[in-house]
């Protein structure tokens, strides 16, 4: 049974992962062929993480 009173807990990391998975699924479904590793990195914004100062 769901708790009463609106005590929803949000896991921001899990929500971000779900969003990225959704974006990857959309990109894969729109692609004519298998996504390359570079394309996957682009969708997941891996390069942006590497370029961020202090990471």
């Amino acid at each position: 049974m769901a708790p009463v009173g609106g005590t929803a807990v949000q896991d921001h990391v899990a929500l971000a992962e779900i969003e990225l998975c959704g974006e990857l699924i959309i990109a894969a479904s729109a692609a004519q062929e298998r996504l390359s590793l570079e394309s996957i990195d682009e969708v997941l914004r891996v390069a942006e993480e590497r370029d961020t100062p202090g990471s």
Side-chain angles (χ1 to χ4, degrees):
M1 183 175 242
V4 178
T7 58
V9 176
Q10 289 190 2
D11 183 340
H12 297 287
V13 173
L15 292 174
E17 288 180 2
I18 291 167
E19 182 179 345
L20 289 173
C21 286
E23 291 177 16
L24 190 56
I25 291 168
I26 291 167
S29 65
Q32 298 295 321
E33 298 179 2
R34 293 180 73 162
L35 294 176
S36 66
L37 294 178
E38 292 81 17
S39 296
I40 293 170
D41 285 350
E42 184 179 325
V43 171
L44 298 178
R45 298 184 285 262
V46 173
E48 290 177 17
E49 292 295 323
R50 289 187 195 138
D51 295 340
T52 304
S55 29

